[in-house]
Amino acid sequence: MTEYEVVIGLEIHVQLWTESKMFCGCSTRFGAPPNTQTCPTCLGLPGALPVINRKAVELGLRTALALHCTVHPRSQFHRKNYYYPDLPKNYQISQYQYLDHPPLATDGYLEIEVEGTLRRVGIRRVHLEEDTGRLVHPEGEDYSLVDYNRSGVPLMEIVTYPDLRSPQEARAFLLKLRQILQYAEVSSGRMEEGTLRCDANVSLRRPGEPLGTRTEVKNMNSIRAVERALQYEIGRQRALLQRGEAVVQETRHWDERSGVTFASRTKEEAEDYRYFPEPDLVPLEITPAWIERVRAGLPELPDARRDRLMRVYGFGRYEAELLVSTRFQADFFEEAVRLYPSPRAIANWLVGDVAGYLNERNLELEDLPITPLHLAELVRLIEEGVISGRIAKDILPEVLGTGKRPSEVVRERGLLQISDEEALREVVRAVLAEHPEPVQDFRKGKERAIGFLVGQVMKRTGGRANPALVNRLLREELERLPA
């Protein structure tokens, strides 16, 4: 894109990892039967009064500190007035930016790297609010149902400044944010379960000009969908501007199946919601001691852990990034290294063959019936010469799929590595006798011929021969052959 600059800002709703709702004691358990997790407060019945969930506030504080935000000592909840069929109160309790009543936290940042370039994306604010209910539209019916189980579930909204310049940057931002939320144990970040939802404001302008008219794109249920929707919307707006037509400020929905955005309503401004302070809740007071207690409880975050792995184990940045991609994997790696101190080999197996197995089956590491001990043992068996690397690759799927220890699989399948020198020498001699052409090639100086001969020995031994020993024996026997 040369003639227009893309400007993107994100609004991310995060369901907080709490047992109960934002303003009442109802459960937040996912998948419960409809309308079984409700009470007068989250249904908005007359006389019911909200009480702030302290755990939700602490998770908001964790996030704010992880994103380098300024936490305000006094913030206020407000009523955001609008009508939806799944909003029984006709207002949502949220936080809004008033000069004397700021939201929980403001003005932080998150750093991302895209194509080798480091970018700092500003965080405008982090605030707390409650979720609405959920409408269900039975297929083929002319009525809708409503499920209020989600009504009042604690949400945190993270709003960025319009600092992103491409769909790829938006994707990188969401991946990094989800990683931080998972590390800090704030949220599962699973978009498919609705615990992470993203709306994107996108506009185009010529470089140096004021911001263009923006549209808000909603209904994106995966990070890939966010990237695709932004690509489409940027193309749509560019085409309008090139034809001399105006972009309309509106909310647009993303249709995953057809791959297009479509208009749903004109975009409301803040004044349309008639915000006013929630009269049933006192302002939220955050003391410095509370902030410091939460800060002290934060775990080592992804960037710090990546840097430590680079420093302690000598990994490159890319390799360390892969290892810390999830907190579970980073913990898994370090526990395996504690059990068997061969970090390079353990890392190679983890981000190589194990990751490949997971990708093929669309699984996560935590879905497997293995522990760090399994990986530590696999590497130990290789390095002690009990099995070859090829045998390790052969047994790995069974280990990962069943949870059997590698040593158990090796014993059951009779796969112990052959390191008997005399036995292997006989195999080597037989291979040389059967393949005179590569023998002559080697003698003419074609070093690659040795690779073929090693392969033949491994084939004859079912991959169980000690590769280093085979290599030495082959060279010895080749030297002994008559000229």
Side-chain angles (χ1 to χ4, degrees):
M1 176 114 191
T2 54
E3 56 181 324
Y4 291 104
E5 180 184 46
V6 175
V7 180
I8 299 169
L10 300 179
E11 298 177 7
I12 302 109
H13 284 92
V14 180
Q15 181 179 330
L16 297 170
W17 233 332
T18 61
E19 298 290 329
S20 57
K21 294 186 178 179
M22 188 69 222
F23 300 113
C24 65
C26 289
S27 172
T28 58
R29 184 168 61 89
F30 178 77
N35 296 310
T36 57
Q37 298 179 165
T38 61
C39 73
T41 298
C42 57
L43 289 175
L45 299 184
L49 294 175
V51 177
I52 299 172
N53 185 328
R54 184 182 179 89
K55 177 71 181 295
V57 175
E58 294 211 344
L59 295 180
L61 287 174
R62 277 181 160 238
T63 307
L65 295 173
L67 297 177
H68 314 284
C69 291
T70 298
V71 176
H72 296 284
R74 184 182 174 91
S75 61
Q76 174 76 50
F77 283 96
H78 297 81
R79 288 190 181 182
K80 181 180 181 181
N81 296 277
Y82 63 102
Y83 171 77
Y84 270 173
D86 56 1
L87 186 64
K89 290 182 293 203
N90 283 346
Y91 63 84
Q92 178 188 24
I93 302 178
S94 181
Q95 292 187 307
Y96 183 61
Q97 176 97 32
Y98 279 156
L99 288 179
D100 52 345
H101 296 299
L104 182 70
T106 55
D107 295 321
Y109 65 87
L110 186 153
E111 290 184 337
I112 59 172
E113 184 174 338
V114 178
E115 297 179 348
T117 301
L118 194 65
R119 296 262 290 111
R120 177 172 287 192
V121 180
I123 306 295
R124 187 191 296 273
R125 68 177 185 271
V126 174
H127 72 248
L128 301 173
E129 61 186 26
E130 60 178 340
D131 206 352
T132 63
R134 185 172 71 96
L135 290 177
V136 180
H137 309 288
E139 191 170 350
E141 303 294 345
D142 59 357
Y143 59 85
S144 296
L145 303 170
V146 62
D147 177 7
Y148 288 116
N149 279 354
R150 289 194 63 85
S151 181
V153 163
L155 292 183
M156 173 175 61
E157 185 169 348
I158 300 168
V159 182
T160 77
Y161 285 99
D163 290 346
L164 296 158
R165 292 292 174 269
S166 70
Q168 293 74 29
E169 288 188 0
R171 180 177 186 275
F173 179 91
L174 287 170
L175 287 171
K176 187 69 172 288
L177 178 65
R178 184 175 66 178
Q179 185 186 36
I180 290 173
L181 295 172
Q182 291 172 341
Y183 263 72
E185 297 181 334
V186 166
S187 173
S188 69
R190 292 178 181 268
M191 291 189 81
E192 67 277 16
E193 294 180 2
T195 61
L196 187 71
R197 308 197 296 265
C198 176
D199 301 334
N201 288 294
V202 55
S203 64
L204 273 63
R205 67 177 177 188
R206 294 189 185 280
E209 290 187 348
L211 292 175
T213 301
R214 75 183 191 279
T215 60
E216 183 183 37
V217 184
K218 290 178 172 289
N219 199 38
M220 300 170 287
N221 59 7
S222 70
I223 292 176
R224 174 174 156 73
V226 172
E227 189 174 13
R228 290 183 64 213
L230 285 171
Q231 287 169 345
Y232 174 85
E233 183 59 18
I234 290 166
R236 189 189 71 86
Q237 290 192 21
R238 184 196 300 134
L240 284 173
L241 295 173
Q242 288 175 337
R243 292 198 300 268
E245 299 176 23
V247 174
V248 176
Q249 181 167 319
E250 61 188 356
T251 297
R252 300 181 67 84
H253 277 219
W254 167 246
D255 187 324
E256 180 71 27
R257 188 172 300 175
S258 59
V260 301
T261 65
F262 61 91
S264 63
R265 56 187 164 87
T266 56
K267 174 67 178 168
E268 295 89 347
E269 298 293 351
E271 54 268 29
D272 296 325
Y273 291 115
R274 294 168 289 117
Y275 284 95
F276 63 85
E278 167 59 59
D280 291 333
L281 289 172
V282 297
L284 184 60
E285 305 275 356
I286 310 288
T287 65
W290 191 1
I291 293 173
E292 290 312 309
R293 193 163 59 249
V294 172
R295 192 192 305 277
L298 275 176
E300 185 181 35
L301 293 173
D303 284 356
R305 195 162 197 179
R306 176 202 62 208
D307 293 346
R308 181 169 62 78
L309 293 191
M310 292 170 66
R311 188 174 61 253
V312 172
Y313 300 112
F315 293 137
R317 184 185 177 93
Y318 176 72
E319 194 172 18
E321 288 272 12
L322 290 178
L323 285 170
V324 304
S325 59
T326 69
R327 184 176 173 183
F328 186 89
Q329 177 168 279
D331 290 345
F332 192 100
F333 163 75
E334 294 213 89
E335 177 60 13
V337 171
R338 190 188 68 76
L339 294 168
Y340 185 72
S342 184
R344 175 68 60 185
I346 288 172
N348 287 343
W349 280 96
L350 195 55
V351 302
D353 292 72
V354 176
Y357 179 92
L358 294 172
N359 290 336
E360 285 175 8
R361 292 159 179 80
N362 197 26
L363 294 173
E364 301 290 336
L365 182 59
E366 48 265 55
D367 296 330
L368 298 180
I370 64 165
T371 67
L373 178 63
H374 289 74
L375 193 54
E377 184 178 276
L378 185 78
V379 173
R380 180 179 62 76
L381 292 174
I382 299 168
E383 296 192 350
E384 290 181 352
V386 177
I387 58 174
S388 65
R390 176 178 162 180
I391 293 294
K393 285 181 179 290
D394 286 346
I395 68 169
L396 186 65
E398 184 172 348
V399 172
L400 300 180
T402 65
K404 287 182 179 177
R405 294 271 292 272
S407 56
E408 183 183 358
V409 177
V410 167
R411 188 174 59 251
E412 287 178 352
R413 293 167 57 174
L415 295 173
L416 289 177
Q417 183 165 272
I418 301 172
S419 295
D420 183 322
E421 184 167 330
E422 286 310 308
L424 281 182
R425 194 179 293 278
E426 288 303 313
V427 177
V428 165
R429 287 170 178 161
V431 166
L432 294 180
E434 290 174 6
H435 299 283
E437 191 171 333
V439 169
Q440 290 305 315
D441 287 344
F442 179 78
R443 298 177 112 183
K444 291 175 184 174
K446 295 181 179 178
E447 184 66 22
R448 285 187 302 177
I450 198 84
F452 172 80
L453 297 169
V454 169
Q456 293 304 307
V457 175
M458 299 304 286
K459 186 176 178 182
R460 273 177 167 258
T461 58
R464 295 167 54 209
N466 182 322
L469 182 56
V470 169
N471 212 294
R472 176 170 67 80
L473 294 176
L474 271 170
R475 291 178 186 277
E476 288 177 2
E477 291 301 316
L478 283 165
E479 288 296 324
R480 290 177 183 171
L481 291 175

